[in-house]
Amino acid sequence: MILKDNFFGIFGLAVKAGKAMLGTFACEKGVKGGKVGLVLLDAGASNRTKKDVQNMCKFFEIPLIEVEPEGMMGKRCGKDGLMLAGITDPGFTKRLKEIAKSNDAEV
């Protein structure tokens, strides 16, 4: 689902506030450590990465949002090629889920 600018604005704020774990390794470590409340996966990720992340989120019962358009997540936080991010703050997590649901994205 293509998400609107306000979603990426909130995501950018979370990154600047230090409330996001960026990258596959950091996000995976955060999910397993119980620090991440929401996982964002770029639509351009490989099928294997998507499957691995979906399985991890299902096992640890963490909501997952697939972010479109492809590559936008990395552009919004200044890290081109970013495929995976974990949001650690409950406030940012709640707001991002609300915006995604209002855009009819699966959460």
Side-chain angles (χ1 to χ4, degrees):
M1 171 57 58
I2 295 178
L3 298 168
K4 297 184 180 171
D5 283 339
N6 55 353
F7 180 89
F8 294 110
I10 299 293
F11 171 66
L13 283 174
V15 171
K16 290 201 186 284
K19 302 297 182 183
M21 300 181 119
L22 305 177
T24 306
F25 181 76
C27 187
E28 187 175 317
K29 187 175 178 182
V31 168
K32 291 178 180 177
K35 295 178 183 176
V36 171
L38 175 66
V39 173
L40 306 175
L41 176 65
D42 192 272
S46 70
N47 289 335
R48 180 178 174 166
T49 300
K50 287 180 183 180
K51 182 181 176 191
D52 290 346
V53 171
Q54 288 168 348
N55 289 338
M56 177 180 66
C57 288
K58 188 180 288 185
F59 181 80
F60 288 98
E61 298 177 355
I62 304 291
L64 171 68
I65 299 174
E66 190 168 329
V67 178
E68 291 182 22
E70 183 177 313
M72 183 62 76
M73 194 167 68
K75 288 179 185 175
R76 287 303 181 124
C77 70
K79 300 196 182 297
D80 286 335
L82 180 68
M83 293 292 145
L84 195 60
I87 306 300
T88 59
D89 182 72
F92 284 120
T93 296
K94 180 181 174 190
R95 186 66 182 131
L96 288 170
K97 287 194 310 192
E98 288 171 358
I99 294 170
K101 284 182 182 176
S102 71
N103 287 309
D104 297 325
E106 291 183 33
V107 178

